[in-house]
Amino acid sequence: MATQQAGRLDNRKTAGGKAAGAEAPRGEMPRAYEPGAVESRIYEFWESQGYFSPIFSDEAWEKGSTAGDREPFTIIMPPPNVTGELHLGHALTAAIEDALTRWHRMRGDPTLFLPGTDHAGIATQMVVERELAKEALTRQDLGREKFVERVWMWVRKTRHRIDDQHRKLGVSCDWSRNRFTMDETPQLAVRTTFKHLYDDGLIYRGTRIINWCPRCQTALSDLEVNHEEEQTSLWHIKYPLIDGAGAETGEFIQMATTRPETIVGDVAVAVNPEDERWREIIGTKARLPIIGRELEIIADAEVEKEFGTGAVKVTPGHDPTDYEVGLRHGLPIINVMNVDATMNDEAGPYAGMDRYEARHRIVDDFDAAGLLVRIEPYTTSIGHCDRCETVVEPIVSLQWYIKVAPLAARAIDVVRSGQIRVLPERYEKVDLNWMETIRDWCISRQLWWGHRIPVWYCDACGEQFVEIETPSACAKCGDADLRQDEDVLDTWFSSGLWTHSTLGWPRQTKDLELFYPTSVLETGWDILFFWVARMIMLGLYNMHESPFSTVFLHGMVRDEAGQKMSKTKGNVIDPLTIVTEFGADALRFALATNSTAGNDMKFSREKVEAARNFCNKLWNAARFVIQKLEGRPAVALPAGGTASMHLEDRWIISGANALARDVNQLMTDFHLGEAGRQIYDFLWGEFCDWYIEAVKVRLSRGDPSPLPVLAHVLATGLKLLHPFAPFVTEEIWQNLQPLLPADEPEALMVAPYPDMQAQFDDRDAANAMAALIDTVRGIRNIKAEKRVEPARFVEAFLEVENEELRVALASRSELIEALARVRPVHLVAPGEAPSQGAARAIVEGVTIVVPLAGMVDLDAERSRLQKELAQVEAQVERLEKQLANSAFRDRAPEVVIRKVEDDLDAALAKRAALKASLDNL
RNA sequence: GGGCGGCUAGCUCAGUUGGUUAGAGCGCUUCGUUCACACCGAAGAGGUCACUGGUUCGAGUCCAGUGUCGCCCACCA
């Protein structure tokens, strides 16, 4: 089906050359990075090149197997509701998933990021009904068929909006495989799964007490009910006891309720069998006031003796606990409400009233009859509809269920055995705990929009049967007059199949063979139960294999005050307005680096602004490099290593190399935020602040030796950063690529991700450059403190005991002079610097002496140095003590002991230097 | 009633398998029109890592407990 779109052109083979007919876009490089002028052009370039589709070798594609090839990397995008607009949660999802996707793609894995949208049963139906309401119409006015048609019209309109918003965020998903939960294949997957489950006895229809939303007028699963603590009352009431003949004895039984409106549905009064107070009246009767019904006094262990009077009214029709009690005692079920939660005829005088009006009237009537004992303020948890927040009513109803325990058992196995890893780990326990205590899943919804339940009823013979394709006649009696079940399935039923229905199941497609099981399932922790757990259960059921190997959960994006964003609160931020203002990269980078897996984050414009500034900083560094290259391509770095280069060159190349190693490790461990921050620190703090500044010294006198290094390090940085900021890095790449050595690909998006290269690992350069940087900072500090005008050059002496370091620094003295604005710099042995009237500072390995005749307050200088000396002495003492500790020597690893020894040496050297300085004052 | 998470600089947050001087951004102070960048640069101030106890040669990090804020799950009227 999708063979064509799968695009088998191998980037790595064609790297360096231009794909046929495609001219890579290149914009001018203005002083500031302008995302608005870049993003759509770059996105179209990527898409037109087919880069979003996974790439396999010909053999792998023919075989439909990746044996011997690189493992494919697959992420199926959590499908946003088709009704919605993207919010920041989607943007976070996109930022994380696309970063993982791009990283894997650049590593050379055949990579698939599959997008889609969810039909979102109740939510979509509500939106369309609201639209209809504007025309003074209801769905009933239209009828089922017309209404569903109307929803489809709506869906066709909104679906592309979501896709376009994703494009604006820069996600590299394979649009040729875009899916919708109501597409033909997912529909088939739903019916097939339903039939299999039904045939296996795992789907059944039954009458039970369920959660009913009176506004949506549908049953809800337990998960779709949100319980909230609310301030209400506990009404203490009493019922008269009656004797065998039905006459009132003059005694009463007192109890309490939070729901007086259900009194009219009472069928019994229950007490604990062990309760001395009530033992004698068990088996006798009471009369339900107003209604007049006789209520048996029953004993049930479920009743807590300690609560109130120890007696409780029993309303099996409107309370889950009472329903259970009713079942145990064979009590009748009386439903006192209509589907919209108004009272029905069973409610006698209250019939037709809203449930809350009935509540107050019943309380009033009890009061008038002297049966209301007291009203106590009370806090209790009340269930609300997940969609519309209406208070949910427990009612008894005929619904379809999945018997989940057997499915959950297998899901528990794969999670517990580590076949599925849950990150952050703490959610594994949450997931397991939920699956271990799982109850049957009510899957039928009294809606019109969704997957219709594939069950048919034959009124002629009473047969009920399940078919994948619409049957024309009853399988049993042949009658053609069949009736399909009116209900649709819970939206999450089709979502639960998403990992394989998107790949073509139940058909045996190539995609299914190549991409199932998928790699990572990334989503917010809020849908762990709704979606992830059910995908594991249904994936195992249909495919006999876990649908993914890693579950990676992110937190919620909240507003600046930490509030959940919601339409009703009016604090929702549209990611697209942020993109327009700051750029998609800024938003993505801010989201990815300011969050930690599983933890919620507070969103603020300041964070995006900081990320925007970073993009701009990189942009300008690139402008500098490109400008200095003057149109002449840089040569490649010497393959043998960097030994012949200047200190700062060796240092920055080694730094980029170490960064590549660390970033790959962090990405492997799903520490995306830390990876992004390290790239930021390197590019800004090392490349821009030090390397580029250092390199100006040579460039300004026409020495081209830094150019290959600038090109190499910038290219490496762009590659490393690309998964986090795809647009700006690609745009820079388009300008830089012609100036790079010949083997660099035409698009950064498909460039190989950098990795550790042993020949560039240069610890010596790292150490010497660290000393140089510390020295420059020390000199700047002295100049700032002594109020030497920054632009003024002064003479400086650097006392360096270590010969090697002194040689290294001497070789780059021009650097120190330029960066610290001192001249000349004298590299000398300890004690050789002038002693009079000089400011001093000691950094590791270097004593800085800046003669400032007449500008130095000797006493202040002395006391400062003495203070520093005291600190160093304390440090020496501590380190010596530690080294003398035999337990430490025995148990600490060798590297740590070495480190402590080195630290002690450094501290001793510093102490000596400080003492010498004090003597010289 | 169970369970989980946060508590680190004025604010928002990092801190990977415990390793010795705990970091960043914003804000703050002082300075700077150095030819990539003021969406910038330089220097600096600012932290008893919520508390108590324990384990360890060594604890922001591990264990136990306390406080506090928040969240999830659960049929106590």
Side-chain angles (χ1 to χ4, degrees):
Chain A
M1 182 172 63
T3 51
Q4 203 129 27
Q5 290 92 330
R8 275 165 290 143
L9 81 143
D10 188 334
N11 293 306
R12 261 143 282 288
K13 285 182 203 145
T14 61
K18 295 265 183 277
E23 191 55 35
R26 193 177 312 154
E28 292 299 303
M29 293 193 78
R31 278 173 70 88
Y33 172 58
E34 292 162 12
V38 167
E39 291 175 355
S40 58
R41 173 165 45 80
I42 290 289
Y43 197 87
E44 279 162 30
F45 164 63
W46 289 330
E47 204 170 359
S48 69
Q49 296 295 84
Y51 291 150
F52 296 162
S53 296
I55 293 160
F56 288 96
S57 67
D58 289 345
E59 301 100 289
W61 185 254
E62 292 313 323
K63 280 188 305 190
S65 148
T66 55
D69 224 330
R70 286 190 76 102
E71 273 293 295
F73 179 81
T74 310
I75 293 189
I76 311 279
M77 179 193 285
N81 286 358
V82 71
T83 46
E85 302 269 339
L86 251 43
H87 56 243
L88 284 170
H90 294 116
L92 175 61
T93 305
I96 294 169
E97 292 175 11
D98 197 45
L100 287 171
T101 297
R102 286 177 184 272
W103 176 60
H104 276 277
R105 188 184 290 114
M106 290 174 78
R107 302 243 296 178
D109 303 331
T111 300
L112 172 63
F113 184 12
L114 189 149
T117 27
D118 192 284
H119 68 283
I122 301 184
T124 309
Q125 176 158 328
M126 267 172 68
V127 171
V128 176
E129 283 186 292
R130 247 197 320 266
E131 286 241 308
L132 285 177
K134 286 182 203 154
E135 304 163 35
L137 287 172
T138 65
R139 69 180 149 120
Q140 285 79 9
D141 292 337
L142 288 188
R144 184 165 191 152
E145 210 172 308
K146 282 238 170 76
F147 177 77
V148 170
E149 233 171 76
R150 180 95 186 215
V151 179
W152 271 109
M153 278 168 56
W154 166 268
V155 164
R156 277 188 279 270
K157 207 171 68 189
T158 56
R159 197 182 156 186
H160 296 287
R161 197 173 58 208
I162 302 250
D163 292 347
D164 289 344
Q165 287 174 318
H166 267 130
R167 286 183 159 89
K168 292 219 162 76
L169 289 169
V171 293
S172 60
C173 47
D174 185 351
W175 295 107
S176 73
R177 287 176 169 84
N178 198 0
R179 295 285 180 269
F180 179 45
T181 49
M182 292 287 279
D183 282 347
E184 188 265 330
T185 299
Q187 291 235 30
L188 179 64
V190 164
R191 296 196 303 270
T192 305
T193 306
F194 190 99
K195 173 142 177 72
H196 292 171
L197 286 167
Y198 183 83
D199 291 347
D200 285 347
L202 295 173
I203 281 187
Y204 65 92
R205 195 184 194 204
T207 300
R208 297 192 163 189
I209 191 152
I210 48 103
N211 311 294
W212 181 265
C213 174
R215 204 220 57 87
C216 301
Q217 299 197 4
T218 179
L220 303 172
S221 69
D222 296 338
L223 279 179
E224 289 164 293
V225 178
N226 299 323
H227 293 273
E228 274 162 51
E229 295 269 291
E230 276 177 35
Q231 205 51 21
T232 174
S233 300
L234 190 59
W235 286 272
H236 296 260
I237 50 173
K238 57 185 183 180
Y239 295 170
L241 295 174
I242 54 174
D243 61 23
E248 291 188 8
T249 63
E251 308 269 320
F252 294 88
I253 185 161
Q254 187 185 322
M255 64 218 114
T257 181
T258 52
R259 308 200 52 210
E261 66 276 18
T262 65
I263 282 171
V264 291
D266 284 6
V267 295
V269 173
V271 298
N272 189 290
E274 310 284 305
D275 196 334
E276 295 299 330
R277 292 168 296 178
W278 304 112
R279 185 160 282 177
E280 279 171 27
I281 62 159
I282 294 170
T284 67
K285 289 182 171 175
R287 172 164 288 127
L288 184 61
I290 303 162
I291 299 293
R293 186 180 302 134
E294 291 190 0
L295 311 173
E296 200 180 333
I297 315 280
I298 58 169
D300 194 290
E302 197 75 357
V303 180
E304 300 259 342
K305 285 189 284 186
E306 288 72 27
F307 190 93
T309 60
V312 58
K313 69 192 217 48
V314 180
T315 322
H318 292 278
D319 183 276
T321 310
D322 293 6
Y323 180 75
E324 298 295 324
V325 173
L327 283 184
R328 279 197 289 274
H329 297 270
L331 299 173
I333 291 160
I334 298 173
N335 178 9
V336 300
M337 287 184 204
N338 299 309
V339 291
D340 62 353
T342 58
M343 307 306 287
N344 66 20
D345 290 345
E346 292 286 352
Y350 309 104
M353 289 179 195
D354 172 80
R355 55 185 159 169
Y356 296 113
E357 189 190 352
R359 170 182 293 184
H360 292 120
R361 296 286 283 273
I362 289 171
V363 169
D364 287 349
D365 291 348
F366 264 71
D367 196 12
L371 298 172
L372 177 66
V373 182
R374 66 195 161 94
I375 304 172
E376 185 188 336
Y378 197 71
T379 304
T380 191
S381 142
I382 295 178
H384 299 259
C385 175
D386 191 39
R387 271 298 138 202
C388 69
E389 290 178 7
T390 304
V391 173
V392 161
E393 195 61 43
I395 62 161
V396 177
S397 166
L398 180 61
Q399 301 288 345
W400 288 94
Y401 294 88
I402 294 184
K403 200 167 146 187
V404 270
L407 300 173
R410 299 179 57 190
I412 289 166
D413 281 348
V414 299
V415 172
R416 198 167 271 149
S417 70
Q419 287 174 62
I420 292 182
R421 182 171 56 142
V422 182
L423 298 173
E425 249 170 68
R426 63 176 185 271
Y427 285 102
E428 179 180 305
K429 214 163 70 181
V430 177
D431 187 37
L432 286 172
N433 180 55
W434 185 73
M435 292 196 291
E436 279 159 1
T437 58
I438 201 163
R439 306 198 311 166
D440 284 359
W441 175 14
C442 176
I443 51 170
S444 47
R445 297 289 178 274
Q446 289 63 55
L447 305 171
W448 286 353
W449 172 243
H451 298 272
R452 189 128 172 215
I453 290 180
V455 173
W456 279 265
Y457 305 97
C458 174
D459 290 331
C461 71
E463 182 71 353
Q464 159 191 314
F465 55 99
V466 176
E467 292 293 342
I468 292 172
E469 300 303 336
T470 306
S472 54
C474 172
K476 195 175 174 194
C477 72
D479 194 283
D481 193 15
L482 299 175
R483 194 163 48 77
Q484 187 176 1
D485 197 290
E486 292 293 319
D487 291 351
V488 301
L489 289 164
D490 183 354
T491 294
W492 297 101
F493 187 99
S494 57
S495 316
L497 313 176
W498 200 231
T499 52
H500 47 291
S501 68
T502 50
L503 298 173
W505 190 88
R507 301 191 182 93
Q508 269 311 309
T509 60
K510 234 165 215 187
D511 273 8
L512 195 62
E513 287 169 41
L514 287 166
F515 299 114
Y516 194 93
T518 68
S519 313
V520 177
L521 186 281
E522 199 283 338
T523 193
W525 55 253
D526 57 328
I527 54 175
L528 178 61
F529 305 148
F530 276 110
W531 193 43
V532 182
R534 285 159 175 174
M535 267 194 296
I536 298 174
M537 294 192 280
L538 293 173
L540 284 167
Y541 178 74
N542 282 338
M543 300 294 297
H544 315 290
E545 208 177 345
S546 312
F548 28 72
S549 43
T550 301
V551 171
F552 184 41
L553 299 166
H554 63 249
M556 303 296 106
V557 183
R558 298 169 176 281
D559 75 5
E560 222 159 331
Q563 295 282 310
K564 207 169 163 178
M565 292 195 188
S566 77
K567 275 187 183 160
T568 43
K569 278 184 202 147
N571 59 352
V572 176
I573 295 170
D574 176 4
L576 274 274
T577 64
I578 302 290
V579 167
T580 306
E581 189 173 354
F582 299 105
D585 292 326
L587 176 61
R588 290 175 54 145
F589 192 82
L591 290 171
T593 56
N594 283 291
S595 63
T596 326
N599 288 354
D600 294 356
M601 70 172 291
K602 289 179 189 147
F603 181 86
S604 68
R605 296 169 55 86
E606 286 71 26
K607 288 172 180 163
V608 187
E609 231 172 86
R612 188 270 319 264
N613 293 351
F614 172 51
C615 291
N616 191 243
K617 184 74 182 177
L618 178 66
W619 178 258
N620 275 290
R623 283 180 67 221
F624 175 80
V625 173
I626 288 165
Q627 184 188 309
K628 294 297 175 194
L629 284 167
E630 292 178 325
R632 290 189 294 275
V635 296
L637 294 185
T642 57
S644 62
M645 294 182 155
H646 285 294
L647 174 63
E648 62 272 29
D649 296 345
R650 290 163 52 203
W651 167 75
I652 199 71
I653 291 167
S654 179
N657 189 49
L659 177 69
R661 179 196 58 210
D662 294 346
V663 166
N664 279 302
Q665 188 57 52
L666 288 164
M667 295 296 280
T668 302
D669 297 340
F670 289 90
H671 292 132
L672 274 68
E674 188 58 23
R677 284 187 292 271
Q678 290 203 9
I679 299 166
Y680 176 104
D681 288 344
F682 174 80
L683 283 173
W684 198 320
E686 293 178 32
F687 185 60
C688 291
D689 287 349
W690 289 98
Y691 186 68
I692 286 186
E693 292 310 316
V695 122
K696 285 174 180 173
V697 177
R698 273 181 285 159
L699 291 174
S700 68
R701 63 159 189 267
D703 176 355
S705 63
L707 293 176
V709 184
L710 282 168
H712 165 82
V713 175
L714 176 59
T716 304
L718 292 174
K719 290 171 186 172
L720 291 171
L721 182 64
H722 183 259
F724 297 94
F727 288 116
V728 66
T729 51
E730 183 73 77
E731 175 70 0
I732 293 171
W733 183 267
Q734 291 308 323
N735 286 280
L736 180 69
Q737 192 262 354
L739 305 173
L740 292 175
D743 58 344
E744 295 287 0
E746 58 166 5
L748 178 60
M749 189 185 148
V750 292
Y753 207 70
D755 212 338
M756 179 79 173
Q757 290 175 273
Q759 76 273 23
F760 292 149
D761 191 28
D762 192 341
R763 298 236 24 113
D764 292 344
N767 291 334
M769 190 66 189
L772 189 150
I773 288 173
D774 283 350
T775 301
V776 169
R777 286 199 167 124
I779 298 169
R780 285 170 175 171
N781 185 357
I782 287 173
K783 287 182 71 179
E785 266 183 14
K786 302 295 183 253
R787 310 264 166 201
V788 179
E789 300 132 71
R792 195 179 131 205
F793 282 83
V794 292
E795 188 177 25
F797 292 81
L798 302 176
E799 295 180 340
V800 184
E801 183 163 13
N802 181 299
E803 174 89 28
E804 212 176 312
L805 180 59
R806 189 164 62 230
V807 170
L809 293 181
S811 75
R812 301 308 298 129
S813 59
E814 66 167 352
L815 257 193
I816 299 170
E817 289 175 345
L819 294 174
R821 305 222 136 210
V822 283
R823 195 180 297 139
V825 162
H826 310 276
L827 269 295
V828 297
E832 291 180 4
S835 54
Q836 293 302 310
R840 290 169 169 263
I842 285 98
V843 299
E844 191 161 334
V846 182
T847 297
I848 301 161
V849 180
V850 182
L852 292 167
M855 296 180 73
V856 179
D857 176 342
L858 282 182
D859 289 339
E861 197 75 359
R862 186 173 289 116
S863 82
R864 193 175 53 78
L865 290 172
Q866 265 159 356
K867 217 168 118 191
E868 222 174 319
L869 181 61
Q871 280 173 6
V872 173
E873 275 179 337
Q875 196 191 356
V876 167
E877 198 183 332
R878 205 183 65 234
L879 293 170
E880 277 176 340
K881 222 169 119 188
Q882 192 171 8
L883 282 171
N885 184 340
S886 62
F888 174 71
R889 298 213 81 113
D890 291 348
R891 297 185 203 190
E894 187 57 34
V895 273
V896 174
I897 294 172
R898 276 284 300 280
K899 174 88 164 62
V900 174
E901 283 168 351
D902 291 351
D903 286 352
L904 179 60
D905 287 347
L908 288 170
K910 185 164 184 183
R911 185 175 69 178
L914 279 165
K915 280 182 169 164
S917 292
L918 280 164
D919 290 347
N920 281 337
L921 273 179

